Short mmCIF file of all heavy atoms in Angstrom, two decimals:
data_model
loop_
_atom_site.label_atom_id
_atom_site.label_comp_id
_atom_site.label_asym_id
_atom_site.label_seq_id
_atom_site.Cartn_x
_atom_site.Cartn_y
_atom_site.Cartn_z
N GLY A 1 24.39 134.89 -10.57
CA GLY A 1 23.39 133.98 -10.03
C GLY A 1 22.86 133.02 -11.08
O GLY A 1 23.11 133.16 -12.28
N LEU A 2 22.12 132.04 -10.60
CA LEU A 2 21.54 131.05 -11.51
C LEU A 2 20.59 131.69 -12.51
O LEU A 2 20.50 131.26 -13.65
CB LEU A 2 20.81 129.97 -10.69
CG LEU A 2 21.71 129.08 -9.83
CD1 LEU A 2 20.85 128.11 -9.01
CD2 LEU A 2 22.70 128.30 -10.70
N ASN A 3 19.87 132.72 -12.07
CA ASN A 3 18.94 133.40 -12.98
C ASN A 3 19.68 134.06 -14.13
O ASN A 3 19.20 134.05 -15.27
CB ASN A 3 18.12 134.44 -12.22
CG ASN A 3 17.09 133.82 -11.31
OD1 ASN A 3 16.73 132.66 -11.47
ND2 ASN A 3 16.61 134.58 -10.33
N ARG A 4 20.86 134.64 -13.82
CA ARG A 4 21.66 135.28 -14.87
C ARG A 4 22.15 134.24 -15.87
O ARG A 4 22.11 134.46 -17.09
CB ARG A 4 22.84 136.01 -14.23
CG ARG A 4 23.81 136.65 -15.22
CD ARG A 4 23.15 137.72 -16.06
NE ARG A 4 24.12 138.46 -16.85
CZ ARG A 4 23.81 139.26 -17.87
NH1 ARG A 4 22.53 139.41 -18.21
NH2 ARG A 4 24.74 139.90 -18.52
N ILE A 5 22.60 133.10 -15.38
CA ILE A 5 23.06 132.02 -16.27
C ILE A 5 21.92 131.56 -17.17
O ILE A 5 22.08 131.43 -18.40
CB ILE A 5 23.60 130.83 -15.45
CG1 ILE A 5 24.83 131.25 -14.61
CG2 ILE A 5 23.93 129.67 -16.38
CD1 ILE A 5 26.05 131.55 -15.41
N ALA A 6 20.74 131.33 -16.58
CA ALA A 6 19.58 130.86 -17.35
C ALA A 6 19.17 131.89 -18.40
O ALA A 6 18.84 131.54 -19.54
CB ALA A 6 18.42 130.56 -16.41
N GLU A 7 19.23 133.16 -18.02
CA GLU A 7 18.87 134.24 -18.95
C GLU A 7 19.80 134.26 -20.15
O GLU A 7 19.36 134.42 -21.31
CB GLU A 7 18.94 135.57 -18.18
CG GLU A 7 18.77 136.82 -19.01
CD GLU A 7 19.03 138.07 -18.18
OE1 GLU A 7 18.39 138.22 -17.12
OE2 GLU A 7 19.90 138.87 -18.57
N LEU A 8 21.11 134.09 -19.91
CA LEU A 8 22.07 134.11 -21.01
C LEU A 8 22.00 132.84 -21.85
O LEU A 8 22.25 132.89 -23.06
CB LEU A 8 23.48 134.31 -20.45
CG LEU A 8 23.75 135.72 -19.89
CD1 LEU A 8 25.11 135.78 -19.22
CD2 LEU A 8 23.65 136.78 -20.98
N VAL A 9 21.67 131.71 -21.25
CA VAL A 9 21.47 130.49 -22.04
C VAL A 9 20.34 130.70 -23.04
O VAL A 9 20.45 130.37 -24.23
CB VAL A 9 21.17 129.29 -21.12
CG1 VAL A 9 20.62 128.11 -21.94
CG2 VAL A 9 22.43 128.86 -20.38
N ASP A 10 19.24 131.28 -22.57
CA ASP A 10 18.10 131.56 -23.47
C ASP A 10 18.52 132.51 -24.58
O ASP A 10 18.09 132.35 -25.74
CB ASP A 10 16.94 132.15 -22.67
CG ASP A 10 16.26 131.13 -21.77
OD1 ASP A 10 16.43 129.92 -22.02
OD2 ASP A 10 15.57 131.55 -20.82
N LEU A 11 19.34 133.49 -24.25
CA LEU A 11 19.80 134.45 -25.26
C LEU A 11 20.65 133.74 -26.32
O LEU A 11 20.49 134.00 -27.53
CB LEU A 11 20.59 135.56 -24.58
CG LEU A 11 21.10 136.69 -25.48
CD1 LEU A 11 21.04 138.02 -24.73
CD2 LEU A 11 22.54 136.44 -25.94
N LEU A 12 21.56 132.87 -25.89
CA LEU A 12 22.40 132.14 -26.84
C LEU A 12 21.54 131.33 -27.81
O LEU A 12 21.79 131.30 -29.02
CB LEU A 12 23.34 131.20 -26.09
CG LEU A 12 24.48 131.83 -25.28
CD1 LEU A 12 25.19 130.77 -24.45
CD2 LEU A 12 25.47 132.53 -26.20
N VAL A 13 20.52 130.67 -27.27
CA VAL A 13 19.65 129.82 -28.09
C VAL A 13 18.78 130.68 -29.01
O VAL A 13 18.71 130.43 -30.23
CB VAL A 13 18.77 128.92 -27.20
CG1 VAL A 13 17.77 128.15 -28.05
CG2 VAL A 13 19.64 127.97 -26.38
N ASP A 14 18.11 131.68 -28.45
CA ASP A 14 17.17 132.49 -29.23
C ASP A 14 17.84 133.25 -30.36
O ASP A 14 17.26 133.43 -31.43
CB ASP A 14 16.44 133.46 -28.30
CG ASP A 14 15.52 132.76 -27.31
OD1 ASP A 14 15.23 131.57 -27.52
OD2 ASP A 14 15.13 133.40 -26.31
N ARG A 15 19.08 133.72 -30.12
CA ARG A 15 19.76 134.54 -31.11
C ARG A 15 20.78 133.74 -31.92
O ARG A 15 21.52 134.31 -32.72
CB ARG A 15 20.41 135.74 -30.43
CG ARG A 15 19.36 136.66 -29.80
CD ARG A 15 19.96 137.89 -29.15
NE ARG A 15 20.72 138.68 -30.10
CZ ARG A 15 21.30 139.85 -29.78
NH1 ARG A 15 21.18 140.33 -28.56
NH2 ARG A 15 21.98 140.51 -30.68
N ASP A 16 20.83 132.43 -31.70
CA ASP A 16 21.71 131.54 -32.45
C ASP A 16 23.17 132.00 -32.39
O ASP A 16 23.88 132.05 -33.39
CB ASP A 16 21.25 131.46 -33.91
CG ASP A 16 21.88 130.28 -34.64
OD1 ASP A 16 22.22 129.29 -33.98
OD2 ASP A 16 22.06 130.38 -35.87
N ILE A 17 23.62 132.35 -31.17
CA ILE A 17 25.00 132.74 -30.95
C ILE A 17 25.84 131.49 -30.76
O ILE A 17 25.54 130.65 -29.90
CB ILE A 17 25.12 133.67 -29.72
CG1 ILE A 17 24.35 134.98 -29.99
CG2 ILE A 17 26.58 133.97 -29.41
CD1 ILE A 17 24.21 135.87 -28.78
N GLY A 18 26.88 131.34 -31.56
CA GLY A 18 27.62 130.09 -31.56
C GLY A 18 28.96 130.11 -30.88
O GLY A 18 29.63 129.08 -30.79
N ALA A 19 29.41 131.28 -30.37
CA ALA A 19 30.74 131.35 -29.75
C ALA A 19 30.71 132.29 -28.54
O ALA A 19 30.10 133.37 -28.60
CB ALA A 19 31.78 131.82 -30.75
N VAL A 20 31.36 131.87 -27.48
CA VAL A 20 31.56 132.70 -26.29
C VAL A 20 33.05 132.68 -25.97
O VAL A 20 33.81 131.89 -26.53
CB VAL A 20 30.73 132.20 -25.10
CG1 VAL A 20 29.25 132.34 -25.37
CG2 VAL A 20 31.07 130.74 -24.78
N PHE A 21 33.49 133.55 -25.06
CA PHE A 21 34.92 133.71 -24.85
C PHE A 21 35.27 133.62 -23.36
O PHE A 21 34.55 134.15 -22.52
CB PHE A 21 35.38 135.06 -25.40
CG PHE A 21 35.19 135.20 -26.89
CD1 PHE A 21 33.97 135.63 -27.41
CD2 PHE A 21 36.21 134.89 -27.78
CE1 PHE A 21 33.77 135.74 -28.78
CE2 PHE A 21 36.02 135.00 -29.14
CZ PHE A 21 34.79 135.43 -29.65
N VAL A 22 36.38 132.94 -23.08
CA VAL A 22 36.89 132.90 -21.72
C VAL A 22 37.95 134.00 -21.57
O VAL A 22 38.40 134.58 -22.56
CB VAL A 22 37.49 131.51 -21.38
CG1 VAL A 22 36.41 130.45 -21.42
CG2 VAL A 22 38.63 131.15 -22.33
N GLU A 23 38.33 134.28 -20.33
CA GLU A 23 39.32 135.32 -20.04
C GLU A 23 40.47 134.74 -19.26
O GLU A 23 40.29 133.86 -18.42
CB GLU A 23 38.67 136.46 -19.25
CG GLU A 23 37.50 137.11 -19.96
CD GLU A 23 36.80 138.14 -19.07
OE1 GLU A 23 37.47 138.79 -18.26
OE2 GLU A 23 35.56 138.26 -19.19
N SER A 24 41.66 135.26 -19.52
CA SER A 24 42.87 134.70 -18.90
C SER A 24 42.92 134.94 -17.40
O SER A 24 43.59 134.19 -16.68
CB SER A 24 44.11 135.30 -19.56
OG SER A 24 44.20 136.70 -19.31
N SER A 25 42.24 135.97 -16.91
CA SER A 25 42.33 136.32 -15.49
C SER A 25 41.06 136.02 -14.71
O SER A 25 40.92 136.42 -13.55
CB SER A 25 42.68 137.81 -15.34
OG SER A 25 41.73 138.62 -16.00
N VAL A 26 40.11 135.31 -15.34
CA VAL A 26 38.83 135.00 -14.69
C VAL A 26 38.53 133.52 -14.90
O VAL A 26 38.75 132.96 -15.97
CB VAL A 26 37.68 135.85 -15.29
CG1 VAL A 26 36.37 135.56 -14.56
CG2 VAL A 26 38.02 137.34 -15.21
N SER A 27 38.00 132.87 -13.87
CA SER A 27 37.63 131.45 -13.97
C SER A 27 36.66 131.22 -15.13
O SER A 27 35.79 132.06 -15.40
CB SER A 27 36.98 130.99 -12.66
OG SER A 27 36.40 129.71 -12.81
N ASP A 28 36.82 130.08 -15.80
CA ASP A 28 35.93 129.76 -16.93
C ASP A 28 34.69 128.98 -16.48
O ASP A 28 33.92 128.51 -17.31
CB ASP A 28 36.68 128.98 -18.01
CG ASP A 28 37.14 127.60 -17.53
OD1 ASP A 28 36.92 127.27 -16.35
OD2 ASP A 28 37.72 126.86 -18.34
N ARG A 29 34.48 128.85 -15.17
CA ARG A 29 33.38 128.04 -14.65
C ARG A 29 32.03 128.48 -15.19
O ARG A 29 31.22 127.67 -15.65
CB ARG A 29 33.37 128.11 -13.12
CG ARG A 29 32.27 127.29 -12.45
CD ARG A 29 32.31 127.43 -10.94
NE ARG A 29 31.98 128.79 -10.51
CZ ARG A 29 32.86 129.66 -10.04
NH1 ARG A 29 34.14 129.32 -9.94
NH2 ARG A 29 32.49 130.87 -9.66
N ASN A 30 31.76 129.79 -15.16
CA ASN A 30 30.45 130.28 -15.60
C ASN A 30 30.27 130.14 -17.11
O ASN A 30 29.16 129.86 -17.59
CB ASN A 30 30.27 131.75 -15.19
CG ASN A 30 30.08 131.91 -13.69
OD1 ASN A 30 29.51 131.05 -13.03
ND2 ASN A 30 30.57 133.01 -13.15
N ILE A 31 31.34 130.35 -17.86
CA ILE A 31 31.26 130.18 -19.31
C ILE A 31 30.92 128.74 -19.66
O ILE A 31 30.08 128.46 -20.54
CB ILE A 31 32.60 130.60 -19.97
CG1 ILE A 31 32.76 132.12 -19.96
CG2 ILE A 31 32.68 130.08 -21.41
CD1 ILE A 31 31.81 132.89 -20.86
N ARG A 32 31.54 127.80 -18.98
CA ARG A 32 31.26 126.39 -19.26
C ARG A 32 29.84 126.02 -18.83
O ARG A 32 29.20 125.16 -19.47
CB ARG A 32 32.31 125.51 -18.58
CG ARG A 32 33.69 125.73 -19.17
CD ARG A 32 34.69 124.66 -18.82
NE ARG A 32 35.98 124.97 -19.45
CZ ARG A 32 36.30 124.70 -20.70
NH1 ARG A 32 35.41 124.12 -21.49
NH2 ARG A 32 37.48 125.02 -21.18
N ALA A 33 29.33 126.66 -17.80
CA ALA A 33 27.93 126.43 -17.41
C ALA A 33 26.99 126.90 -18.51
O ALA A 33 25.96 126.26 -18.79
CB ALA A 33 27.62 127.16 -16.10
N LEU A 34 27.33 128.01 -19.17
CA LEU A 34 26.53 128.50 -20.30
C LEU A 34 26.52 127.50 -21.44
O LEU A 34 25.47 127.20 -22.02
CB LEU A 34 27.09 129.83 -20.81
CG LEU A 34 26.76 131.12 -20.09
CD1 LEU A 34 27.36 132.28 -20.86
CD2 LEU A 34 25.27 131.30 -19.94
N ILE A 35 27.70 127.00 -21.78
CA ILE A 35 27.81 126.05 -22.89
C ILE A 35 27.00 124.79 -22.60
O ILE A 35 26.27 124.28 -23.46
CB ILE A 35 29.29 125.71 -23.14
CG1 ILE A 35 30.03 126.95 -23.66
CG2 ILE A 35 29.42 124.55 -24.14
CD1 ILE A 35 31.53 126.78 -23.77
N GLU A 36 27.09 124.28 -21.37
CA GLU A 36 26.34 123.09 -21.00
C GLU A 36 24.84 123.35 -21.01
O GLU A 36 24.05 122.50 -21.44
CB GLU A 36 26.79 122.62 -19.61
CG GLU A 36 28.21 122.08 -19.59
CD GLU A 36 28.73 121.86 -18.18
OE1 GLU A 36 27.93 122.06 -17.22
OE2 GLU A 36 29.92 121.50 -18.04
N GLY A 37 24.44 124.56 -20.55
CA GLY A 37 23.02 124.90 -20.55
C GLY A 37 22.46 124.99 -21.95
O GLY A 37 21.34 124.53 -22.21
N ALA A 38 23.24 125.57 -22.86
CA ALA A 38 22.79 125.67 -24.25
C ALA A 38 22.72 124.28 -24.89
O ALA A 38 21.77 123.98 -25.64
CB ALA A 38 23.74 126.57 -25.04
N ALA A 39 23.70 123.43 -24.58
CA ALA A 39 23.70 122.07 -25.13
C ALA A 39 22.47 121.29 -24.69
O ALA A 39 21.91 120.50 -25.46
CB ALA A 39 24.97 121.35 -24.72
N ALA A 40 22.05 121.54 -23.44
CA ALA A 40 20.86 120.84 -22.92
C ALA A 40 19.61 121.24 -23.68
O ALA A 40 18.61 120.52 -23.69
CB ALA A 40 20.70 121.14 -21.44
N LYS A 41 19.66 122.39 -24.35
CA LYS A 41 18.53 122.86 -25.15
C LYS A 41 18.75 122.62 -26.64
O LYS A 41 18.04 123.16 -27.49
CB LYS A 41 18.28 124.34 -24.90
CG LYS A 41 17.82 124.64 -23.46
CD LYS A 41 17.29 126.05 -23.33
CE LYS A 41 16.66 126.26 -21.97
NZ LYS A 41 15.93 127.54 -21.88
N GLY A 42 19.76 121.80 -26.95
CA GLY A 42 20.01 121.44 -28.34
C GLY A 42 20.76 122.46 -29.16
O GLY A 42 20.76 122.39 -30.39
N HIS A 43 21.44 123.41 -28.49
CA HIS A 43 22.18 124.46 -29.21
C HIS A 43 23.66 124.34 -28.91
O HIS A 43 24.08 124.39 -27.75
CB HIS A 43 21.66 125.85 -28.80
CG HIS A 43 22.37 126.98 -29.49
ND1 HIS A 43 22.36 127.15 -30.86
CD2 HIS A 43 23.12 128.00 -29.00
CE1 HIS A 43 23.05 128.22 -31.18
NE2 HIS A 43 23.54 128.75 -30.07
N ASP A 44 24.47 124.19 -29.94
CA ASP A 44 25.92 124.05 -29.77
C ASP A 44 26.60 125.41 -29.70
O ASP A 44 26.41 126.26 -30.57
CB ASP A 44 26.52 123.25 -30.93
CG ASP A 44 26.08 121.79 -30.91
OD1 ASP A 44 25.81 121.27 -29.80
OD2 ASP A 44 26.01 121.17 -32.00
N VAL A 45 27.39 125.57 -28.66
CA VAL A 45 28.18 126.79 -28.49
C VAL A 45 29.62 126.38 -28.23
O VAL A 45 29.88 125.44 -27.45
CB VAL A 45 27.66 127.63 -27.29
CG1 VAL A 45 28.54 128.86 -27.09
CG2 VAL A 45 26.22 128.06 -27.53
N VAL A 46 30.56 127.05 -28.86
CA VAL A 46 31.97 126.74 -28.67
C VAL A 46 32.67 127.91 -27.98
O VAL A 46 32.15 129.03 -27.97
CB VAL A 46 32.69 126.45 -30.02
CG1 VAL A 46 32.03 125.26 -30.72
CG2 VAL A 46 32.68 127.69 -30.92
N ILE A 47 33.82 127.63 -27.41
CA ILE A 47 34.66 128.71 -26.87
C ILE A 47 35.45 129.29 -28.03
O ILE A 47 36.25 128.60 -28.67
CB ILE A 47 35.60 128.18 -25.78
CG1 ILE A 47 34.79 127.74 -24.56
CG2 ILE A 47 36.62 129.25 -25.39
CD1 ILE A 47 35.61 127.17 -23.43
N GLY A 48 35.20 130.56 -28.31
CA GLY A 48 35.84 131.21 -29.45
C GLY A 48 37.30 131.49 -29.23
O GLY A 48 38.04 131.73 -30.19
#
């Protein structure tokens, strides 16, 4: 849900996590939403 995405965006920013990972058998849609959400808060995250 949107709440879960927002919660993880805050976690990425607060803990200065710079890399997340996609999976070969799962859509990367949610991962890219995280990256975009973090970027909107001024925190750069890359796909590891």
Side-chain angles (χ1 to χ4, degrees):
L2 293 177
N3 288 341
R4 176 62 171 166
I5 298 290
E7 173 187 305
L8 289 174
V9 166
D10 288 340
L11 182 144
L12 290 172
V13 174
D14 293 344
R15 296 182 59 177
D16 195 27
I17 296 171
V20 294
F21 297 86
V22 296
E23 301 174 33
S24 65
S25 57
V26 182
S27 169
D28 65 357
R29 181 181 66 253
N30 289 327
I31 287 291
R32 294 195 180 279
L34 280 184
I35 293 173
E36 291 170 4
K41 294 193 172 190
H43 179 61
D44 291 331
V45 177
V46 300
I47 293 178

